[in-house]
Amino acid sequence: MNRLPPPDRGPGARNETPTERLDRNWASLLQEVRVLQMSVQLLSGYLLVLPFQPRFTTLSTACLALYYSTLTASLAAVVIFLTPIALHRLLFRTHNLAVVVTATHRLVLLGMGSVGLALTGAAALVVAVGSESVAIGACAAVAGSACAAFFWWWLPRHLLRRYGRASAPIAH
């Protein structure tokens, strides 16, 4: 079932057809995915070369567990952010853009969770190895999680509550 969001009815509503709206939403999602793809692929690349560094063999069991969970989150994000392209390619010309847009929206949210875990894990790993303390690395993970939760979860909801569905005023 193709579910489209209800049309905007407020002042400044766009005068567009459902197809034009889907095209606009798809283009916007693609831009977001491109930014996220690049950053998570870079992080994954760095994580993939770590086992080839001489000091890697000296990591504690806890640091290794942190490394492998961080690598898993990072590679999961890569797969998640590549999936919209596969969806689009496989559903190309089937007139199912609403399905692609809805699935991509959900994938971006899921991928951001994976990126948040990967970034937090990478920061915690650097701190744990640099300080030689897994406890300090765990503190870094908590701080990173709190930061991601603030910027990626609380702030958007706060802005939506404060300004509603209308556009936020533009600062000059």
Side-chain angles (χ1 to χ4, degrees):
M1 172 190 243
N2 292 343
R3 291 188 206 168
L4 294 178
D8 294 328
R9 303 264 187 239
R14 296 176 189 264
N15 185 19
E16 59 189 1
T17 67
T19 302
E20 290 170 335
R21 171 180 262 188
L22 283 171
D23 287 340
R24 178 176 52 83
N25 287 343
W26 176 243
S28 178
L29 281 166
L30 273 184
Q31 288 298 89
E32 294 171 15
V33 168
R34 284 183 184 125
V35 170
L36 290 164
Q37 268 181 344
M38 181 60 71
S39 58
V40 78
Q41 286 172 345
L42 285 170
L43 175 60
S44 296
Y46 285 122
L47 289 170
L48 286 170
V49 300
L50 285 180
F52 302 102
Q53 305 305 311
R55 192 162 173 215
F56 188 80
T57 58
T58 66
L59 293 180
S60 68
T61 304
C63 281
L64 285 173
L66 179 58
Y67 167 76
Y68 288 121
S69 60
T70 300
L71 179 64
T72 300
S74 186
L75 293 176
V78 169
V79 170
I80 291 166
F81 289 133
L82 290 174
T83 301
I85 284 63
L87 283 174
H88 184 261
R89 186 53 33 213
L90 293 172
L91 297 176
F92 185 63
R93 295 187 183 175
T94 64
H95 304 288
N96 285 314
L97 188 57
V99 172
V100 174
V101 167
T102 300
T104 299
H105 165 72
R106 292 176 181 157
L107 286 165
V108 167
L109 293 175
L110 179 64
M112 285 177 59
S114 289
V115 169
L117 290 173
L119 288 172
T120 301
L125 185 62
V126 167
V127 171
V129 170
S131 66
E132 298 182 1
S133 169
V134 176
I136 293 175
C139 290
V142 169
S145 297
C147 194
F150 175 80
F151 285 108
W152 294 352
W153 186 81
W154 182 85
L155 183 62
R157 281 157 182 74
H158 168 72
L159 293 173
L160 184 61
R161 278 192 310 273
R162 182 167 182 182
Y163 297 107
R165 295 212 176 267
S167 297
I170 298 172
H172 295 286

